[in-house]
Amino acid sequence: MYPAAIQKLKHCLKNKVSTTQSDCYRASFDALKISFLPQAVIHAKVPEDIAIVLNLANQFKIPVTTRGAGSSLTGSATPIHGGWVLDMSALKKITILEKQKLAIVQPGVITEALKKAAEKRGLFYPPDPASAHFCTIGGNIACNAGGLNCVKYGVTRDYIIALKGYLPTGEPVSWGLPLRKFSAGYNMRDLWIGSEGTLGVITEATLKLIPLPQSRMTYLAVFQNDHQALVAARKFNHFNIIPCALEFLDETSTRCVAPKYLPKKFAGSSFILIDLDGEKDAVKKDFSHIKTWLKKETPDYLIAQNSTQRNRLWKMRRECSPSMFFYGDSRLNEDIVVPLDKIPSLINFVKKLSKDYDLTIPIFGHLGDGNLHANIMFNRKTPSQVKAAQSVLHHLMHKVIELGGAISGEHGIGLAKSTFFPLQHSAHEINAMLKIKQALDPNNILNPGKIFKPFSPWQYPSVPDKMPWDKI
Amino acid sequence: MYPAAIQKLKHCLKNKVSTTQSDCYRASFDALKISFLPQAVIHAKVPEDIAIVLNLANQFKIPVTTRGAGSSLTGSATPIHGGWVLDMSALKKITILEKQKLAIVQPGVITEALKKAAEKRGLFYPPDPASAHFCTIGGNIACNAGGLNCVKYGVTRDYIIALKGYLPTGEPVSWGLPLRKFSAGYNMRDLWIGSEGTLGVITEATLKLIPLPQSRMTYLAVFQNDHQALVAARKFNHFNIIPCALEFLDETSTRCVAPKYLPKKFAGSSFILIDLDGEKDAVKKDFSHIKTWLKKETPDYLIAQNSTQRNRLWKMRRECSPSMFFYGDSRLNEDIVVPLDKIPSLINFVKKLSKDYDLTIPIFGHLGDGNLHANIMFNRKTPSQVKAAQSVLHHLMHKVIELGGAISGEHGIGLAKSTFFPLQHSAHEINAMLKIKQALDPNNILNPGKIFKPFSPWQYPSVPDKMPWDKI
């Protein structure tokens, strides 16, 4: 396939192009675990490599799928139409401009590495996907990642000041400048953010940093059951405290992740995990409110006394997603969002689905911003479970829309949610988006087959391989 | 012109269409004051009116220019190609959702009216253009307006959660939902924001409100000259205090606006006007820093003791823009932005231009975010002044780009800055924007001739009329 194109590619990008079966296989799937083999993998080393790749791809009409860590849960990085995979993971330069409180980063930077580099200078990059220790900034921008700290600090988009990169047709562009105000022309920066690699390839991002909060407190509230936790959460809101994280782990989730980190009796309880940060005095002031709340609402709670204890609790939370394979070899991780007052309705609905269809559906996530992760677990080889998972997904997505919610809060649409995309947007809305795709990418080179084209993952086998971060 | 179209329009929108000369004349110019007569003015009363207008306009290929208050300083609301003006000023419903901290507003709402409605519920809509008491939310969104409070609170874009409206081709669309996270499809919301009415017509915006700050303090620091003020400003930054406003008024500006509000001796001084807000304790804590700074840096300062005194000081600041006509019958109000450390270079450059070209160029504005308003004042009937103003503008814009800045921070490009647009963006970047315009508005109906097409205001006479808010 495309031998002339690959020959040219290899000629132009010496030692950066691989066509070995093992490299192509590794690039053939992401965390969705459905494999489509590409014909070549390009390991970009400098931004200019991208122009060469895109120019050739347009000339030969070859699909190009950009890839960072491959941690996309929706298949955004899966090369569904084959072609070339553009691996950006070697582009991982970080420059911190301390005085200006900015970071200039390449897309292959691991989110956690940026957070640490900022912290060393007393600065803070708030976006904090649970996958921060393996996902990349490029991927975070592509799907407008959120994470644990959004309730107070917002999402990736809120920290992006400027982007550099290439249009699908290969021309270099810059969107935005490191300025506090900018009102000169169309905002292409925000159009790129969240477009899942379909409208351009990012080679550099200028990110906003903020002063590192002086103080931090972590609390774990343990409830007998989910109902009790949700009632308590509603009361928490009355304090008008904005925590930097407010996470929920349901009974099913804790049964799986708690034993490794906490006394055995806590497994099967329902958790609310709270982080407060800010000025020392303010955090102290809030502490007294929260202690009252804890004492009143639950007999069992933990207050992390040091960073080791805190990290332990948050490690448990971060392990939720990869650990859920305990309940099945396959899962649908749905990062749905609903208005805050609709959270109990949603959770109850999920529990009912779980019972009706006899599937385990742990639900955990961001209670503070209404973005919950419903993990529909099933075994691929059990046809009845596959069928049940399909039905559960269908009902769940319709319910989310009925509650005024979004089918994705931070993962994006990719392949996994494309079937439900028309629930979220009208035909006119989707048509307008498609017109933009067509205008900027007339040859449909960049990440074709994503977002807009219904895809049924059920027809395809799941790869047996584990991602490096999968726990079980 | 277009008699059949206008007849249909009048038939479909009874009592909402005017073709009288006086109505058409009033809609023929905005605050740029260059008149292009439209053939009809449509006074939209309900959102559905927009669909009718746009469908007919596409059918008959008639340009449509959306208009709020007409306060655009760049001519964004000028119907340069005639056609129809879509007047949105009657769409001014405000709904405050107190519990959810949201406002749902129509585009004709005056910004100040929204701020007051929020305040009544203990809530705060931070964006605060100096023109807040006459500009509209629709216009604010169209040019991503900023204003006085941006240094702490950001710009209009930061408060827009969702938009409803119509595509240029007349189809109704909704971009976004009132949720904390959303990652489902292209971000058309932010593409609309700042697109100056060229990509759609907004009929409803869902805006984020925040709790009203408990406490507020206003300070006026008076300096002997601009140099002294800028040196002091640099020292202010060392405190690491983030004021909600940090405004600069140069010697020339204060000569004009100070006498009405302050002791005569202050006219011709240089001012820094500071607002701090937040929790009572925090504002108090900052107060001690600022007092030290004031005492050290200037012998003359005022601390507003109550809201009357505070309002008086801010009224003075808000009158800067309309009052500058004291210095000439015409002006170019350039809302340029530069990186914070480049502000002194910019101001010195403006002063040099003023001297070299013998023109008065008061400069005032947002010291805290680098967005300054250089007002190039001249008399239209003096050809040498017109020529000088042209040269000054040319040099200023090139300097801004040289300093890594933006030619517009909050006014947009419109007609007035279109000549300089290619300084800001490369041909590839502009081409990508034009492709989007072409894709969404194939008949080039909405606000044609703006942003992208170089326009020379110098060829056209200025209308003698004053805008309702002009002072002199």
Side-chain angles (χ1 to χ4, degrees):
Chain A
M1 310 267 271
Y2 317 117
I6 289 182
Q7 203 178 347
K8 273 203 178 182
L9 192 65
K10 283 187 166 175
H11 176 77
C12 296
L13 295 169
K14 281 206 174 64
N15 305 320
K16 296 175 183 174
V17 182
S18 171
T19 49
T20 68
Q21 218 194 326
S22 63
D23 275 357
C24 286
Y25 178 69
R26 264 198 300 274
S28 74
F29 61 93
D30 56 22
L32 183 66
K33 298 196 175 175
I34 299 178
S35 168
F36 291 89
L37 271 178
Q39 272 81 49
V41 182
I42 299 115
H43 299 279
K45 296 278 187 286
V46 290
E48 293 70 26
D49 293 344
I50 317 301
I52 293 169
V53 170
L54 292 176
N55 284 330
L56 281 174
N58 275 282
Q59 195 183 323
F60 289 91
K61 314 276 182 288
I62 297 167
V64 173
T65 303
T66 312
R67 180 187 184 87
S71 62
S72 169
L73 291 161
T74 64
S76 281
T78 304
I80 177 176
H81 290 310
W84 298 344
V85 166
L86 184 51
D87 184 328
M88 308 292 276
S89 56
L91 290 168
K92 49 186 179 186
K93 213 174 132 185
I94 302 176
T95 310
I96 306 282
L97 304 176
E98 204 171 326
K99 229 173 141 183
Q100 292 147 269
K101 296 194 186 73
L102 295 175
I104 299 174
V105 298
Q106 288 187 320
V109 166
I110 302 291
T111 309
E112 187 68 21
L114 166 63
K115 291 172 84 77
K116 285 198 170 149
E119 250 180 71
K120 268 189 198 160
R121 317 286 190 98
L123 294 168
F124 184 34
Y125 176 69
D128 189 33
S131 55
H133 55 292
F134 52 85
C135 65
T136 66
I137 290 291
N140 291 178
I141 298 172
C143 67
N144 189 22
L148 306 173
N149 290 342
C150 304
V151 52
K152 179 167 181 180
Y153 291 109
V155 295
T156 300
R157 185 185 301 286
D158 299 313
Y159 294 84
I160 298 179
I161 293 178
L163 294 175
K164 280 188 187 172
Y166 291 86
L167 292 171
T169 36
E171 301 84 358
V173 287
S174 287
W175 306 129
L177 284 170
L179 299 169
R180 307 280 186 100
K181 283 179 177 167
F182 192 87
S183 185
Y186 293 169
N187 180 357
M188 305 290 284
R189 176 195 66 189
D190 280 285
L191 185 64
W192 268 17
I193 302 167
S195 67
E196 303 186 32
T198 63
L199 296 180
V201 179
I202 294 162
T203 56
E204 188 183 289
T206 304
L207 307 172
K208 186 170 84 174
L209 304 175
I210 62 175
L212 194 64
Q214 287 176 351
S215 197
R216 183 158 214 163
M217 286 292 288
T218 301
Y219 308 86
L220 176 73
V222 181
F223 300 91
Q224 280 178 352
N225 54 51
D226 297 337
H227 175 71
Q228 228 184 51
L230 293 172
V231 169
R234 203 167 51 227
K235 290 183 187 164
F236 182 89
N237 289 335
H238 294 167
F239 291 125
N240 232 346
I241 292 173
I242 301 178
C244 81
L246 184 69
E247 294 290 304
F248 171 69
L249 282 73
D250 83 339
E251 301 157 27
T252 319
S253 305
T254 66
R255 204 164 292 133
C256 180
V257 294
K260 192 170 155 192
Y261 295 95
L262 292 167
K264 263 189 185 160
K265 61 169 181 173
F266 286 178
S269 302
S270 183
F271 292 172
I272 293 181
L273 191 54
I274 303 170
D275 240 31
L276 289 187
D277 70 358
E279 277 194 32
K280 239 176 177 164
D281 293 349
V283 172
K284 242 187 198 160
K285 205 171 142 192
D286 292 342
F287 172 66
S288 64
H289 286 303
I290 293 195
K291 212 162 170 189
T292 313
W293 175 79
L294 286 169
K295 279 189 174 161
K296 209 171 159 192
E297 300 300 327
T298 166
D300 273 323
Y301 58 87
L302 295 175
I303 300 176
Q305 299 301 332
N306 50 46
S307 65
T308 312
Q309 285 183 14
R310 178 166 59 242
N311 291 342
R312 213 174 150 75
L313 288 174
W314 285 108
K315 206 170 168 214
M316 174 184 71
R317 165 62 188 87
R318 283 181 199 279
E319 275 186 19
C320 277
S321 186
S323 299
M324 291 304 137
F325 288 106
F326 174 80
Y327 289 119
D329 65 10
S330 299
R331 72 130 159 237
L332 301 163
N333 179 342
E334 302 307 324
D335 67 318
I336 47 195
V337 194
V338 293
L340 298 188
D341 60 337
K342 298 292 194 295
I343 291 173
S345 311
L346 178 75
I347 291 177
N348 290 333
F349 185 79
V350 168
K351 287 187 181 303
K352 196 175 172 305
L353 283 177
S354 169
K355 203 178 276 173
D356 290 354
Y357 288 89
D358 194 22
L359 284 185
T360 312
I361 315 180
I363 185 161
F364 56 83
H366 320 308
L367 203 60
D369 55 31
N371 180 206
L372 290 159
H373 298 285
N375 287 250
I376 306 165
M377 305 307 304
F378 60 102
N379 289 302
R380 272 269 173 178
K381 284 173 191 145
T382 316
S384 65
Q385 286 207 352
V386 173
K387 215 177 144 196
Q390 272 182 277
S391 298
V392 165
L393 183 62
H394 174 89
H395 291 302
L396 179 61
M397 289 307 183
H398 280 80
K399 185 69 180 180
V400 165
I401 297 297
E402 183 197 314
L403 293 172
I407 60 171
S408 172
E410 52 187 21
H411 295 172
I413 300 300
L415 297 172
K417 302 198 172 198
S418 54
T419 308
F420 305 102
F421 195 55
L423 295 180
Q424 190 80 73
H425 296 286
S426 74
H428 293 317
E429 290 156 15
I430 293 175
N431 197 28
M433 295 180 197
L434 281 170
K435 279 181 179 167
I436 286 180
K437 169 66 175 168
Q438 164 71 24
L440 296 182
D441 188 5
N443 294 321
N444 200 20
I445 293 301
L446 272 184
N447 215 1
K450 306 299 164 64
I451 305 176
F452 302 104
K453 209 173 149 193
F455 173 86
S456 174
W458 311 100
Q459 301 168 18
Y460 301 91
S462 193
V463 297
D465 310 66
K466 301 238 169 288
M467 303 305 282
W469 49 84
D470 285 342
K471 291 288 157 190
I472 290 164
Chain B
M1 311 268 268
Y2 318 115
I6 288 182
Q7 205 180 342
K8 275 204 176 182
L9 192 65
K10 283 187 166 174
H11 176 76
C12 296
L13 296 169
K14 282 204 174 68
N15 305 320
K16 296 176 182 173
V17 181
S18 171
T19 50
T20 67
Q21 217 194 327
S22 64
D23 275 357
C24 287
Y25 178 69
R26 265 198 299 273
S28 74
F29 60 94
D30 56 22
L32 183 67
K33 299 196 173 176
I34 298 177
S35 168
F36 292 89
L37 271 178
Q39 272 84 49
V41 182
I42 299 116
H43 300 280
K45 296 280 189 281
V46 290
E48 294 71 26
D49 293 345
I50 317 301
I52 294 169
V53 170
L54 292 177
N55 284 330
L56 282 173
N58 275 283
Q59 193 183 327
F60 290 92
K61 314 276 181 290
I62 297 166
V64 173
T65 303
T66 312
R67 182 188 182 88
S71 62
S72 169
L73 291 162
T74 65
S76 281
T78 304
I80 178 175
H81 291 309
W84 298 345
V85 167
L86 181 53
D87 184 329
M88 307 292 277
S89 56
L91 290 167
K92 48 186 180 187
K93 212 171 131 186
I94 302 176
T95 310
I96 306 281
L97 304 177
E98 206 172 324
K99 230 173 138 183
Q100 293 148 271
K101 298 194 184 75
L102 295 175
I104 298 174
V105 299
Q106 288 187 319
V109 166
I110 303 291
T111 309
E112 187 69 21
L114 166 63
K115 290 172 84 76
K116 284 196 171 150
E119 250 179 69
K120 267 188 199 161
R121 316 287 188 96
L123 293 168
F124 184 33
Y125 176 68
D128 188 34
S131 55
H133 54 292
F134 52 85
C135 64
T136 65
I137 291 290
N140 291 179
I141 298 172
C143 66
N144 188 22
L148 306 173
N149 290 343
C150 303
V151 53
K152 180 168 180 178
Y153 292 109
V155 296
T156 300
R157 183 184 302 284
D158 300 314
Y159 293 85
I160 298 179
I161 292 178
L163 294 175
K164 279 187 189 177
Y166 291 87
L167 291 171
T169 36
E171 300 86 357
V173 286
S174 287
W175 306 129
L177 284 170
L179 299 169
R180 307 282 183 99
K181 282 180 177 167
F182 191 88
S183 185
Y186 293 170
N187 180 355
M188 305 290 283
R189 176 195 68 189
D190 280 284
L191 185 65
W192 269 18
I193 302 168
S195 67
E196 303 186 33
T198 64
L199 297 181
V201 178
I202 294 161
T203 56
E204 187 183 291
T206 303
L207 307 173
K208 184 170 86 174
L209 304 175
I210 61 175
L212 195 63
Q214 287 176 351
S215 194
R216 183 157 213 161
M217 287 291 289
T218 301
Y219 309 85
L220 177 72
V222 181
F223 301 91
Q224 281 180 350
N225 53 53
D226 297 337
H227 174 71
Q228 228 181 51
L230 293 173
V231 169
R234 202 167 51 224
K235 290 183 188 166
F236 182 89
N237 289 335
H238 293 168
F239 290 126
N240 232 345
I241 292 172
I242 301 177
C244 82
L246 183 69
E247 294 290 304
F248 171 70
L249 282 74
D250 83 337
E251 301 158 27
T252 319
S253 304
T254 66
R255 205 165 290 133
C256 181
V257 294
K260 194 170 154 193
Y261 295 94
L262 291 167
K264 263 191 186 156
K265 62 170 180 172
F266 285 178
S269 302
S270 183
F271 292 172
I272 293 180
L273 192 53
I274 303 169
D275 241 31
L276 289 189
D277 70 359
E279 277 194 31
K280 239 177 179 166
D281 293 348
V283 172
K284 240 187 201 162
K285 204 171 143 191
D286 291 343
F287 174 66
S288 65
H289 286 304
I290 293 194
K291 211 162 170 191
T292 312
W293 174 79
L294 286 168
K295 279 190 173 160
K296 208 170 160 191
E297 300 301 325
T298 165
D300 274 323
Y301 59 86
L302 296 174
I303 300 175
Q305 299 301 330
N306 50 46
S307 66
T308 313
Q309 286 184 13
R310 179 169 57 240
N311 291 342
R312 213 174 150 75
L313 289 174
W314 285 109
K315 205 168 170 216
M316 174 183 73
R317 165 62 188 88
R318 283 180 198 280
E319 277 187 16
C320 278
S321 186
S323 298
M324 291 304 137
F325 289 106
F326 175 80
Y327 289 119
D329 64 12
S330 298
R331 71 129 160 238
L332 301 163
N333 180 341
E334 302 307 324
D335 68 318
I336 48 196
V337 194
V338 291
L340 298 187
D341 60 337
K342 298 292 195 296
I343 292 173
S345 310
L346 177 76
I347 291 177
N348 289 334
F349 186 79
V350 168
K351 289 189 178 300
K352 194 175 175 304
L353 284 177
S354 170
K355 205 177 273 174
D356 291 354
Y357 287 89
D358 196 22
L359 284 184
T360 312
I361 315 179
I363 185 162
F364 56 84
H366 320 308
L367 203 58
D369 55 32
N371 180 208
L372 291 158
H373 298 285
N375 287 250
I376 307 165
M377 305 306 305
F378 60 101
N379 288 300
R380 272 268 172 179
K381 284 172 191 148
T382 315
S384 65
Q385 285 206 352
V386 173
K387 215 178 142 195
Q390 273 182 274
S391 298
V392 165
L393 183 61
H394 174 89
H395 292 302
L396 179 60
M397 289 305 183
H398 279 81
K399 185 70 179 180
V400 165
I401 297 297
E402 183 196 315
L403 293 172
I407 61 172
S408 172
E410 53 187 19
H411 295 173
I413 301 299
L415 297 172
K417 303 199 171 196
S418 53
T419 308
F420 304 102
F421 194 56
L423 295 180
Q424 190 79 74
H425 296 286
S426 73
H428 292 316
E429 289 157 16
I430 293 175
N431 197 29
M433 295 180 196
L434 281 169
K435 279 181 180 168
I436 286 180
K437 169 67 172 166
Q438 164 73 22
L440 296 182
D441 188 5
N443 295 319
N444 200 20
I445 293 300
L446 271 185
N447 214 2
K450 304 299 163 62
I451 306 177
F452 302 104
K453 208 173 148 194
F455 173 87
S456 174
W458 312 99
Q459 301 169 17
Y460 302 90
S462 193
V463 297
D465 310 66
K466 301 240 168 289
M467 303 306 282
W469 48 84
D470 285 342
K471 292 288 158 187
I472 287 164

